[in-house]
Amino acid sequence: EHDWVALTVAQNGTWGAASNANLTRAMMQAIRDCARKSGPAGNDCGAEITTVRASWSLAFACGDYTFISNGATSADARIAAIERAIDLKEIVGTALPPCALVVAIDADGRILPSAPQREFLAIPVNGR
């Protein structure tokens, strides 16, 4: 059985993650991790949070907008991220900045090292 993995991302792009057999502890530890990294600027750590077991979690920042997507596989999580970015673009309009990957966590709860260059979502111009 997999532990719970909690991932939170603040509006400024700071993130926190934790893994624990107890769901509440995983969430609290992720929020604490985010707040520790961001200091006073991260007072919204925990406002955007997901918890999963044996699933991928990806956090993206699109300027001042952040979101987390999840999926059974990396590809599923990326598809969910593209769909979320399309929805966000429909709300915000063409002013939505490019969406950069902030952190990726694999199905075993491992935080993957970030690439030397930031990875950006390819959002279709005409939506779906």
PDB file of all heavy atoms in Angstrom, residues 30-66:
ATOM      1  N   ALA A  30       3.154  19.005   4.018  1.00  0.00           N
ATOM      2  CA  ALA A  30       3.332  19.680   2.725  1.00  0.00           C
ATOM      3  C   ALA A  30       3.157  21.187   2.879  1.00  0.00           C
ATOM      4  O   ALA A  30       3.942  21.974   2.333  1.00  0.00           O
ATOM      5  CB  ALA A  30       2.353  19.129   1.697  1.00  0.00           C
ATOM      6  N   ILE A  31       2.155  21.597   3.636  1.00  0.00           N
ATOM      7  CA  ILE A  31       1.925  23.030   3.874  1.00  0.00           C
ATOM      8  C   ILE A  31       3.105  23.625   4.631  1.00  0.00           C
ATOM      9  O   ILE A  31       3.593  24.707   4.301  1.00  0.00           O
ATOM     10  CB  ILE A  31       0.596  23.247   4.621  1.00  0.00           C
ATOM     11  CG1 ILE A  31      -0.573  22.858   3.714  1.00  0.00           C
ATOM     12  CG2 ILE A  31       0.467  24.691   5.104  1.00  0.00           C
ATOM     13  CD1 ILE A  31      -1.911  22.749   4.433  1.00  0.00           C
ATOM     14  N   ARG A  32       3.592  22.914   5.630  1.00  0.00           N
ATOM     15  CA  ARG A  32       4.744  23.381   6.408  1.00  0.00           C
ATOM     16  C   ARG A  32       5.986  23.501   5.527  1.00  0.00           C
ATOM     17  O   ARG A  32       6.745  24.466   5.619  1.00  0.00           O
ATOM     18  CB  ARG A  32       4.996  22.417   7.574  1.00  0.00           C
ATOM     19  CG  ARG A  32       5.742  23.042   8.720  1.00  0.00           C
ATOM     20  CD  ARG A  32       5.831  22.135   9.949  1.00  0.00           C
ATOM     21  NE  ARG A  32       4.523  21.643  10.366  1.00  0.00           N
ATOM     22  CZ  ARG A  32       4.241  20.355  10.562  1.00  0.00           C
ATOM     23  NH1 ARG A  32       5.157  19.427  10.414  1.00  0.00           N
ATOM     24  NH2 ARG A  32       3.040  19.983  10.941  1.00  0.00           N
ATOM     25  N   ASP A  33       6.199  22.523   4.630  1.00  0.00           N
ATOM     26  CA  ASP A  33       7.332  22.545   3.708  1.00  0.00           C
ATOM     27  C   ASP A  33       7.255  23.764   2.788  1.00  0.00           C
ATOM     28  O   ASP A  33       8.241  24.475   2.584  1.00  0.00           O
ATOM     29  CB  ASP A  33       7.353  21.253   2.888  1.00  0.00           C
ATOM     30  CG  ASP A  33       8.521  21.149   1.931  1.00  0.00           C
ATOM     31  OD1 ASP A  33       9.653  21.532   2.318  1.00  0.00           O
ATOM     32  OD2 ASP A  33       8.316  20.675   0.796  1.00  0.00           O
ATOM     33  N   CYS A  34       6.080  24.036   2.248  1.00  0.00           N
ATOM     34  CA  CYS A  34       5.878  25.190   1.375  1.00  0.00           C
ATOM     35  C   CYS A  34       6.135  26.498   2.135  1.00  0.00           C
ATOM     36  O   CYS A  34       6.849  27.377   1.651  1.00  0.00           O
ATOM     37  CB  CYS A  34       4.454  25.167   0.813  1.00  0.00           C
ATOM     38  SG  CYS A  34       3.989  26.588  -0.192  1.00  0.00           S
ATOM     39  N   ALA A  35       5.555  26.613   3.327  1.00  0.00           N
ATOM     40  CA  ALA A  35       5.709  27.837   4.126  1.00  0.00           C
ATOM     41  C   ALA A  35       7.165  28.068   4.507  1.00  0.00           C
ATOM     42  O   ALA A  35       7.651  29.210   4.499  1.00  0.00           O
ATOM     43  CB  ALA A  35       4.833  27.760   5.371  1.00  0.00           C
ATOM     44  N   ARG A  36       7.888  26.991   4.812  1.00  0.00           N
ATOM     45  CA  ARG A  36       9.309  27.112   5.166  1.00  0.00           C
ATOM     46  C   ARG A  36      10.103  27.654   3.985  1.00  0.00           C
ATOM     47  O   ARG A  36      10.972  28.504   4.146  1.00  0.00           O
ATOM     48  CB  ARG A  36       9.854  25.753   5.589  1.00  0.00           C
ATOM     49  CG  ARG A  36      11.327  25.744   5.980  1.00  0.00           C
ATOM     50  CD  ARG A  36      11.833  24.340   6.292  1.00  0.00           C
ATOM     51  NE  ARG A  36      11.565  23.352   5.268  1.00  0.00           N
ATOM     52  CZ  ARG A  36      12.262  23.232   4.114  1.00  0.00           C
ATOM     53  NH1 ARG A  36      13.244  24.059   3.857  1.00  0.00           N
ATOM     54  NH2 ARG A  36      11.967  22.290   3.238  1.00  0.00           N
ATOM     55  N   LYS A  37       9.791  27.185   2.776  1.00  0.00           N
ATOM     56  CA  LYS A  37      10.520  27.610   1.580  1.00  0.00           C
ATOM     57  C   LYS A  37      10.192  29.047   1.179  1.00  0.00           C
ATOM     58  O   LYS A  37      11.046  29.764   0.671  1.00  0.00           O
ATOM     59  CB  LYS A  37      10.185  26.697   0.396  1.00  0.00           C
ATOM     60  CG  LYS A  37      10.720  25.303   0.519  1.00  0.00           C
ATOM     61  CD  LYS A  37      10.229  24.467  -0.652  1.00  0.00           C
ATOM     62  CE  LYS A  37      10.670  23.030  -0.555  1.00  0.00           C
ATOM     63  NZ  LYS A  37      10.053  22.204  -1.606  1.00  0.00           N
ATOM     64  N   SER A  38       8.950  29.451   1.396  1.00  0.00           N
ATOM     65  CA  SER A  38       8.523  30.749   0.874  1.00  0.00           C
ATOM     66  C   SER A  38       8.580  31.878   1.887  1.00  0.00           C
ATOM     67  O   SER A  38       8.534  33.037   1.512  1.00  0.00           O
ATOM     68  CB  SER A  38       7.110  30.651   0.311  1.00  0.00           C
ATOM     69  OG  SER A  38       6.207  30.365   1.350  1.00  0.00           O
ATOM     70  N   GLY A  39       8.655  31.559   3.163  1.00  0.00           N
ATOM     71  CA  GLY A  39       8.663  32.606   4.175  1.00  0.00           C
ATOM     72  C   GLY A  39       7.332  33.335   4.205  1.00  0.00           C
ATOM     73  O   GLY A  39       6.291  32.771   3.864  1.00  0.00           O
ATOM     74  N   PRO A  40       7.352  34.627   4.559  1.00  0.00           N
ATOM     75  CA  PRO A  40       6.107  35.388   4.678  1.00  0.00           C
ATOM     76  C   PRO A  40       5.336  35.499   3.356  1.00  0.00           C
ATOM     77  O   PRO A  40       4.127  35.669   3.345  1.00  0.00           O
ATOM     78  CB  PRO A  40       6.551  36.772   5.141  1.00  0.00           C
ATOM     79  CG  PRO A  40       7.943  36.615   5.618  1.00  0.00           C
ATOM     80  CD  PRO A  40       8.510  35.399   4.960  1.00  0.00           C
ATOM     81  N   ALA A  41       6.030  35.362   2.233  1.00  0.00           N
ATOM     82  CA  ALA A  41       5.366  35.473   0.927  1.00  0.00           C
ATOM     83  C   ALA A  41       4.469  34.286   0.634  1.00  0.00           C
ATOM     84  O   ALA A  41       3.613  34.354  -0.240  1.00  0.00           O
ATOM     85  CB  ALA A  41       6.416  35.606  -0.181  1.00  0.00           C
ATOM     86  N   GLY A  42       4.625  33.195   1.364  1.00  0.00           N
ATOM     87  CA  GLY A  42       3.864  31.983   1.089  1.00  0.00           C
ATOM     88  C   GLY A  42       2.691  31.776   2.008  1.00  0.00           C
ATOM     89  O   GLY A  42       2.373  30.655   2.379  1.00  0.00           O
ATOM     90  N   ASN A  43       2.016  32.866   2.384  1.00  0.00           N
ATOM     91  CA  ASN A  43       0.916  32.720   3.329  1.00  0.00           C
ATOM     92  C   ASN A  43      -0.297  32.016   2.722  1.00  0.00           C
ATOM     93  O   ASN A  43      -1.251  31.748   3.421  1.00  0.00           O
ATOM     94  CB  ASN A  43       0.526  34.070   3.931  1.00  0.00           C
ATOM     95  CG  ASN A  43       0.075  35.056   2.881  1.00  0.00           C
ATOM     96  OD1 ASN A  43       0.010  34.750   1.696  1.00  0.00           O
ATOM     97  ND2 ASN A  43      -0.217  36.259   3.315  1.00  0.00           N
ATOM     98  N   ASP A  44      -0.254  31.710   1.409  1.00  0.00           N
ATOM     99  CA  ASP A  44      -1.366  30.972   0.807  1.00  0.00           C
ATOM    100  C   ASP A  44      -1.006  29.507   0.558  1.00  0.00           C
ATOM    101  O   ASP A  44      -1.721  28.807  -0.158  1.00  0.00           O
ATOM    102  CB  ASP A  44      -1.846  31.654  -0.476  1.00  0.00           C
ATOM    103  CG  ASP A  44      -0.797  31.679  -1.569  1.00  0.00           C
ATOM    104  OD1 ASP A  44       0.407  31.605  -1.256  1.00  0.00           O
ATOM    105  OD2 ASP A  44      -1.178  31.779  -2.748  1.00  0.00           O
ATOM    106  N   CYS A  45       0.076  29.036   1.158  1.00  0.00           N
ATOM    107  CA  CYS A  45       0.402  27.615   1.059  1.00  0.00           C
ATOM    108  C   CYS A  45      -0.771  26.828   1.628  1.00  0.00           C
ATOM    109  O   CYS A  45      -1.272  27.138   2.700  1.00  0.00           O
ATOM    110  CB  CYS A  45       1.663  27.288   1.856  1.00  0.00           C
ATOM    111  SG  CYS A  45       3.180  27.907   1.121  1.00  0.00           S
ATOM    112  N   GLY A  46      -1.224  25.847   0.882  1.00  0.00           N
ATOM    113  CA  GLY A  46      -2.352  25.041   1.311  1.00  0.00           C
ATOM    114  C   GLY A  46      -3.654  25.416   0.637  1.00  0.00           C
ATOM    115  O   GLY A  46      -4.599  24.633   0.630  1.00  0.00           O
ATOM    116  N   ALA A  47      -3.719  26.614   0.032  1.00  0.00           N
ATOM    117  CA  ALA A  47      -4.941  27.008  -0.673  1.00  0.00           C
ATOM    118  C   ALA A  47      -5.150  26.120  -1.898  1.00  0.00           C
ATOM    119  O   ALA A  47      -6.278  25.779  -2.243  1.00  0.00           O
ATOM    120  CB  ALA A  47      -4.882  28.472  -1.072  1.00  0.00           C
ATOM    121  N   GLU A  48      -4.070  25.729  -2.541  1.00  0.00           N
ATOM    122  CA  GLU A  48      -4.105  24.800  -3.684  1.00  0.00           C
ATOM    123  C   GLU A  48      -3.348  23.562  -3.230  1.00  0.00           C
ATOM    124  O   GLU A  48      -2.122  23.601  -3.065  1.00  0.00           O
ATOM    125  CB  GLU A  48      -3.429  25.433  -4.897  1.00  0.00           C
ATOM    126  CG  GLU A  48      -3.363  24.569  -6.122  1.00  0.00           C
ATOM    127  CD  GLU A  48      -4.646  24.557  -6.928  1.00  0.00           C
ATOM    128  OE1 GLU A  48      -5.351  25.564  -6.917  1.00  0.00           O
ATOM    129  OE2 GLU A  48      -4.928  23.530  -7.551  1.00  0.00           O
ATOM    130  N   ILE A  49      -4.067  22.483  -2.956  1.00  0.00           N
ATOM    131  CA  ILE A  49      -3.433  21.276  -2.450  1.00  0.00           C
ATOM    132  C   ILE A  49      -4.145  20.046  -3.012  1.00  0.00           C
ATOM    133  O   ILE A  49      -5.352  20.074  -3.233  1.00  0.00           O
ATOM    134  CB  ILE A  49      -3.435  21.241  -0.895  1.00  0.00           C
ATOM    135  CG1 ILE A  49      -2.541  20.114  -0.360  1.00  0.00           C
ATOM    136  CG2 ILE A  49      -4.837  21.174  -0.353  1.00  0.00           C
ATOM    137  CD1 ILE A  49      -2.238  20.223   1.131  1.00  0.00           C
ATOM    138  N   THR A  50      -3.369  19.011  -3.302  1.00  0.00           N
ATOM    139  CA  THR A  50      -3.953  17.734  -3.711  1.00  0.00           C
ATOM    140  C   THR A  50      -3.321  16.620  -2.887  1.00  0.00           C
ATOM    141  O   THR A  50      -2.202  16.752  -2.391  1.00  0.00           O
ATOM    142  CB  THR A  50      -3.726  17.415  -5.211  1.00  0.00           C
ATOM    143  OG1 THR A  50      -2.330  17.300  -5.450  1.00  0.00           O
ATOM    144  CG2 THR A  50      -4.330  18.478  -6.092  1.00  0.00           C
ATOM    145  N   THR A  51      -4.067  15.546  -2.765  1.00  0.00           N
ATOM    146  CA  THR A  51      -3.550  14.349  -2.102  1.00  0.00           C
ATOM    147  C   THR A  51      -3.870  13.156  -2.996  1.00  0.00           C
ATOM    148  O   THR A  51      -4.976  13.053  -3.532  1.00  0.00           O
ATOM    149  CB  THR A  51      -4.195  14.148  -0.720  1.00  0.00           C
ATOM    150  OG1 THR A  51      -5.614  14.129  -0.848  1.00  0.00           O
ATOM    151  CG2 THR A  51      -3.769  15.244   0.238  1.00  0.00           C
ATOM    152  N   VAL A  52      -2.885  12.294  -3.169  1.00  0.00           N
ATOM    153  CA  VAL A  52      -3.054  11.122  -4.023  1.00  0.00           C
ATOM    154  C   VAL A  52      -2.311   9.938  -3.424  1.00  0.00           C
ATOM    155  O   VAL A  52      -1.449  10.099  -2.568  1.00  0.00           O
ATOM    156  CB  VAL A  52      -2.529  11.378  -5.463  1.00  0.00           C
ATOM    157  CG1 VAL A  52      -3.332  12.458  -6.151  1.00  0.00           C
ATOM    158  CG2 VAL A  52      -1.046  11.716  -5.452  1.00  0.00           C
ATOM    159  N   ARG A  53      -2.648   8.781  -3.935  1.00  0.00           N
ATOM    160  CA  ARG A  53      -1.903   7.560  -3.642  1.00  0.00           C
ATOM    161  C   ARG A  53      -1.599   6.914  -4.981  1.00  0.00           C
ATOM    162  O   ARG A  53      -2.485   6.762  -5.818  1.00  0.00           O
ATOM    163  CB  ARG A  53      -2.733   6.587  -2.816  1.00  0.00           C
ATOM    164  CG  ARG A  53      -2.705   6.856  -1.350  1.00  0.00           C
ATOM    165  CD  ARG A  53      -3.431   5.750  -0.614  1.00  0.00           C
ATOM    166  NE  ARG A  53      -3.111   5.809   0.801  1.00  0.00           N
ATOM    167  CZ  ARG A  53      -3.791   5.192   1.725  1.00  0.00           C
ATOM    168  NH1 ARG A  53      -4.836   4.453   1.403  1.00  0.00           N
ATOM    169  NH2 ARG A  53      -3.448   5.285   2.986  1.00  0.00           N
ATOM    170  N   ALA A  54      -0.352   6.559  -5.189  1.00  0.00           N
ATOM    171  CA  ALA A  54       0.074   5.851  -6.396  1.00  0.00           C
ATOM    172  C   ALA A  54      -0.333   6.585  -7.664  1.00  0.00           C
ATOM    173  O   ALA A  54      -0.794   5.975  -8.619  1.00  0.00           O
ATOM    174  CB  ALA A  54      -0.449   4.421  -6.397  1.00  0.00           C
ATOM    175  N   SER A  55      -0.190   7.897  -7.669  1.00  0.00           N
ATOM    176  CA  SER A  55      -0.489   8.719  -8.844  1.00  0.00           C
ATOM    177  C   SER A  55       0.565   9.797  -8.984  1.00  0.00           C
ATOM    178  O   SER A  55       1.236  10.157  -8.010  1.00  0.00           O
ATOM    179  CB  SER A  55      -1.857   9.391  -8.715  1.00  0.00           C
ATOM    180  OG  SER A  55      -2.887   8.440  -8.755  1.00  0.00           O
ATOM    181  N   TRP A  56       0.693  10.300 -10.191  1.00  0.00           N
ATOM    182  CA  TRP A  56       1.587  11.412 -10.474  1.00  0.00           C
ATOM    183  C   TRP A  56       0.918  12.727 -10.090  1.00  0.00           C
ATOM    184  O   TRP A  56      -0.298  12.875 -10.228  1.00  0.00           O
ATOM    185  CB  TRP A  56       1.927  11.453 -11.955  1.00  0.00           C
ATOM    186  CG  TRP A  56       2.953  10.452 -12.370  1.00  0.00           C
ATOM    187  CD1 TRP A  56       2.791   9.096 -12.468  1.00  0.00           C
ATOM    188  CD2 TRP A  56       4.290  10.725 -12.743  1.00  0.00           C
ATOM    189  NE1 TRP A  56       3.958   8.509 -12.874  1.00  0.00           N
ATOM    190  CE2 TRP A  56       4.902   9.495 -13.062  1.00  0.00           C
ATOM    191  CE3 TRP A  56       5.044  11.883 -12.851  1.00  0.00           C
ATOM    192  CZ2 TRP A  56       6.224   9.397 -13.466  1.00  0.00           C
ATOM    193  CZ3 TRP A  56       6.360  11.789 -13.253  1.00  0.00           C
ATOM    194  CH2 TRP A  56       6.941  10.555 -13.549  1.00  0.00           C
ATOM    195  N   SER A  57       1.723  13.679  -9.632  1.00  0.00           N
ATOM    196  CA  SER A  57       1.250  15.040  -9.352  1.00  0.00           C
ATOM    197  C   SER A  57       2.209  16.018 -10.013  1.00  0.00           C
ATOM    198  O   SER A  57       3.431  15.883  -9.876  1.00  0.00           O
ATOM    199  CB  SER A  57       1.217  15.313  -7.842  1.00  0.00           C
ATOM    200  OG  SER A  57       0.280  14.479  -7.205  1.00  0.00           O
ATOM    201  N   LEU A  58       1.645  16.973 -10.733  1.00  0.00           N
ATOM    202  CA  LEU A  58       2.430  18.005 -11.414  1.00  0.00           C
ATOM    203  C   LEU A  58       1.885  19.372 -11.008  1.00  0.00           C
ATOM    204  O   LEU A  58       0.671  19.584 -11.041  1.00  0.00           O
ATOM    205  CB  LEU A  58       2.320  17.866 -12.939  1.00  0.00           C
ATOM    206  CG  LEU A  58       2.631  16.504 -13.545  1.00  0.00           C
ATOM    207  CD1 LEU A  58       2.329  16.521 -15.037  1.00  0.00           C
ATOM    208  CD2 LEU A  58       4.079  16.128 -13.301  1.00  0.00           C
ATOM    209  N   ALA A  59       2.768  20.276 -10.616  1.00  0.00           N
ATOM    210  CA  ALA A  59       2.351  21.640 -10.285  1.00  0.00           C
ATOM    211  C   ALA A  59       2.883  22.578 -11.367  1.00  0.00           C
ATOM    212  O   ALA A  59       4.040  22.471 -11.780  1.00  0.00           O
ATOM    213  CB  ALA A  59       2.885  22.052  -8.922  1.00  0.00           C
ATOM    214  N   PHE A  60       2.019  23.478 -11.811  1.00  0.00           N
ATOM    215  CA  PHE A  60       2.372  24.444 -12.851  1.00  0.00           C
ATOM    216  C   PHE A  60       2.096  25.855 -12.366  1.00  0.00           C
ATOM    217  O   PHE A  60       1.176  26.089 -11.580  1.00  0.00           O
ATOM    218  CB  PHE A  60       1.540  24.196 -14.122  1.00  0.00           C
ATOM    219  CG  PHE A  60       1.969  22.976 -14.882  1.00  0.00           C
ATOM    220  CD1 PHE A  60       1.422  21.745 -14.594  1.00  0.00           C
ATOM    221  CD2 PHE A  60       2.933  23.063 -15.875  1.00  0.00           C
ATOM    222  CE1 PHE A  60       1.816  20.608 -15.288  1.00  0.00           C
ATOM    223  CE2 PHE A  60       3.332  21.935 -16.569  1.00  0.00           C
ATOM    224  CZ  PHE A  60       2.776  20.710 -16.279  1.00  0.00           C
ATOM    225  N   ALA A  61       2.887  26.800 -12.867  1.00  0.00           N
ATOM    226  CA  ALA A  61       2.670  28.223 -12.619  1.00  0.00           C
ATOM    227  C   ALA A  61       2.548  28.918 -13.968  1.00  0.00           C
ATOM    228  O   ALA A  61       3.400  28.740 -14.844  1.00  0.00           O
ATOM    229  CB  ALA A  61       3.833  28.813 -11.821  1.00  0.00           C
ATOM    230  N   CYS A  62       1.469  29.664 -14.114  1.00  0.00           N
ATOM    231  CA  CYS A  62       1.214  30.457 -15.321  1.00  0.00           C
ATOM    232  C   CYS A  62       1.139  31.908 -14.860  1.00  0.00           C
ATOM    233  O   CYS A  62       0.047  32.421 -14.599  1.00  0.00           O
ATOM    234  CB  CYS A  62      -0.090  30.049 -15.984  1.00  0.00           C
ATOM    235  SG  CYS A  62      -0.402  28.279 -16.093  1.00  0.00           S
ATOM    236  N   GLY A  63       2.290  32.543 -14.703  1.00  0.00           N
ATOM    237  CA  GLY A  63       2.298  33.884 -14.120  1.00  0.00           C
ATOM    238  C   GLY A  63       1.817  33.800 -12.680  1.00  0.00           C
ATOM    239  O   GLY A  63       2.349  33.042 -11.879  1.00  0.00           O
ATOM    240  N   ASP A  64       0.752  34.532 -12.365  1.00  0.00           N
ATOM    241  CA  ASP A  64       0.191  34.541 -11.008  1.00  0.00           C
ATOM    242  C   ASP A  64      -0.798  33.409 -10.762  1.00  0.00           C
ATOM    243  O   ASP A  64      -1.362  33.299  -9.682  1.00  0.00           O
ATOM    244  CB  ASP A  64      -0.518  35.873 -10.736  1.00  0.00           C
ATOM    245  CG  ASP A  64       0.467  37.021 -10.587  1.00  0.00           C
ATOM    246  OD1 ASP A  64       1.645  36.765 -10.258  1.00  0.00           O
ATOM    247  OD2 ASP A  64       0.052  38.175 -10.795  1.00  0.00           O
ATOM    248  N   TYR A  65      -1.043  32.583 -11.758  1.00  0.00           N
ATOM    249  CA  TYR A  65      -1.982  31.476 -11.636  1.00  0.00           C
ATOM    250  C   TYR A  65      -1.208  30.172 -11.451  1.00  0.00           C
ATOM    251  O   TYR A  65      -0.251  29.920 -12.169  1.00  0.00           O
ATOM    252  CB  TYR A  65      -2.874  31.375 -12.877  1.00  0.00           C
ATOM    253  CG  TYR A  65      -3.646  32.635 -13.149  1.00  0.00           C
ATOM    254  CD1 TYR A  65      -3.146  33.598 -14.013  1.00  0.00           C
ATOM    255  CD2 TYR A  65      -4.864  32.868 -12.530  1.00  0.00           C
ATOM    256  CE1 TYR A  65      -3.849  34.768 -14.262  1.00  0.00           C
ATOM    257  CE2 TYR A  65      -5.576  34.028 -12.775  1.00  0.00           C
ATOM    258  CZ  TYR A  65      -5.063  34.975 -13.637  1.00  0.00           C
ATOM    259  OH  TYR A  65      -5.754  36.125 -13.881  1.00  0.00           O
ATOM    260  N   THR A  66      -1.637  29.374 -10.485  1.00  0.00           N
ATOM    261  CA  THR A  66      -1.008  28.074 -10.265  1.00  0.00           C
ATOM    262  C   THR A  66      -2.077  27.001 -10.222  1.00  0.00           C
ATOM    263  O   THR A  66      -3.238  27.272  -9.902  1.00  0.00           O
ATOM    264  CB  THR A  66      -0.209  28.045  -8.948  1.00  0.00           C
ATOM    265  OG1 THR A  66      -1.087  28.336  -7.863  1.00  0.00           O
ATOM    266  CG2 THR A  66       0.947  29.036  -8.964  1.00  0.00           C
TER     267      THR A  66
END
